[in-house]
Amino acid sequence: MKSKDLILGAALLSALAPLQAQQPPPATGPQPVMRMMRPPPPAMTGERADLAIELAGGMPVVSIMVNGRGPFRFGVDTGAAGYLRVTPALATALGLAQVGEVRAGDPSGRNPVTLPLYRVDSVTLGGLTYSGVSASALSLAGPRGSNIDGIVGIGFFENLLLTIDYGRLRLAAGRGTLPAANGRDVVDFTLDRGVLITLPLRIGDAVHPVHLDTGNTVRPLALPAEIAAALPTSGETRNIGRARTVSQEIVIQERDLTAPVSVGATRLPVTAVSFPSAASPGAIGSLALAGMAVTIDYPNKRLRIVPSVQ
């Protein structure tokens, strides 16, 4: 296979790291950029969002309004900490003023970068409107970035029941809960670094914790090389290209799996494992969820993945 440059999802960005607060700017004269502590959560009005999605390279994309303008195309990224990330082009078009800086990096924790922080008055997502939203710059470029105006992070849904239906091409978010985990369709998850959804993925007879990363459109399943080496596989190892995160470039390889991959009792459309992942413990991306309906009960740390009913 010819080598390709691949872009890992913004989901591979870690939580925005708080920076040291500086003294307030003077009341007159040039205003220096403030380095701010972790931004406060936005206020939400409305009861429920129910809107169409399209798939861009497998990633769910929705149309939203920003500061009353739009609609704009935003990817829904369950692995992106925080709320909103906007492309520099959109920040310029909307005239967003920079109010601070945030430090971000991929899950490896290496080579963090500093990104502009903007204040957005309102974001409308279906029937939900958020006000006072902190938005950072979307730093990843490439083919995927050229097709979207930004990223909607998991923070918008941290108090809601979120369903991304890849089969029916719908997104729904509102009040509600999933039933208690039963090990079949509903499973418990944990939060890595207090933010990233980490679910139990069964590969054959073994269970591996992995991030749920709908912004990752590179390959369905990525694991650390040492874990991939211990899985039941067949065939030759293939070089499938290079992937870039915000701070590193990775040469990606792949092998075919000889064991089924599932979450609870639901088998996922995953037939190969790529490695290495950007960081431990690995991730499943949107390509692993094709044809599935994924429901995330973030407050209760429960998740359901079942085949979509069309």
Side-chain angles (χ1 to χ4, degrees):
M1 178 180 295
K2 184 178 180 180
S3 176
K4 297 180 180 179
D5 286 335
L6 305 172
I7 305 298
L8 295 186
L12 291 176
L13 294 174
S14 63
L16 298 180
L19 302 179
Q20 291 293 325
Q22 296 179 340
Q23 294 298 316
T28 60
Q31 301 293 301
V33 172
M34 289 291 293
R35 294 191 172 195
M36 303 177 66
M37 301 303 287
R38 189 179 301 276
M44 186 190 81
T45 57
E47 297 297 323
R48 183 175 178 81
D50 190 343
L51 64 164
I53 65 174
E54 61 177 285
L55 300 179
M59 179 177 62
V61 173
V62 295
S63 294
I64 72 173
M65 304 293 289
V66 181
N67 286 353
R69 294 173 59 181
F72 301 107
R73 290 165 45 82
F74 274 68
V76 179
D77 193 340
T78 59
Y83 301 98
L84 202 68
R85 298 196 174 107
V86 298
T87 62
L90 182 60
T92 299
L94 293 175
L96 299 181
Q98 183 177 345
V99 298
E101 294 176 336
V102 289
R103 186 176 295 126
D106 58 45
S108 69
R110 295 191 296 268
N111 305 317
V113 297
T114 300
L115 302 174
L117 182 70
Y118 308 103
R119 188 72 167 178
V120 173
D121 293 333
S122 67
V123 172
T124 301
L125 176 71
L128 300 174
T129 296
Y130 298 84
S131 57
V133 180
S134 295
S136 63
L138 180 61
S139 60
L140 295 180
R144 192 203 64 161
S146 66
N147 295 323
I148 60 174
D149 299 301
I151 289 291
V152 170
I154 192 62
F156 281 116
F157 311 107
E158 61 188 359
N159 295 312
L160 301 174
L161 187 69
L162 168 67
T163 297
I164 303 173
D165 193 324
Y166 285 81
R168 296 180 58 243
L169 297 179
R170 302 293 299 180
L171 179 146
R175 305 296 180 185
T177 61
L178 283 175
N182 56 24
R184 298 185 300 277
D185 57 342
V186 179
V187 300
D188 291 322
F189 65 78
T190 59
L191 294 177
D192 189 10
R193 303 169 183 85
V195 178
L196 300 175
I197 297 169
T198 307
L199 55 82
L201 185 74
R202 179 172 292 278
I203 306 175
D205 296 328
V207 175
H208 302 277
V210 296
H211 294 154
L212 178 67
D213 185 353
T214 60
N216 187 341
T217 61
V218 176
R219 301 298 293 171
L221 171 63
L223 291 173
E226 63 273 15
I227 294 178
L231 296 177
T233 59
S234 66
E236 298 292 327
T237 298
R238 304 180 290 274
N239 288 331
I240 59 172
R242 298 183 303 274
R244 294 191 301 275
T245 72
V246 69
S247 62
Q248 62 176 319
E249 183 172 279
I250 305 166
V251 176
I252 302 294
Q253 297 182 305
E254 182 182 68
R255 282 180 64 88
D256 293 328
L257 288 166
T258 59
V261 176
S262 60
V263 174
T266 301
R267 184 166 177 172
L268 302 181
V270 178
T271 59
V273 57
S274 64
F275 55 91
S277 57
S280 202
I284 57 169
S286 275
L287 298 180
L289 304 170
M292 299 291 161
V294 182
T295 300
I296 301 167
D297 183 348
Y298 202 90
N300 294 299
K301 300 181 179 64
R302 298 171 190 155
L303 179 141
R304 179 172 63 206
I305 301 178
V306 293
S308 175
V309 178
Q310 300 183 47

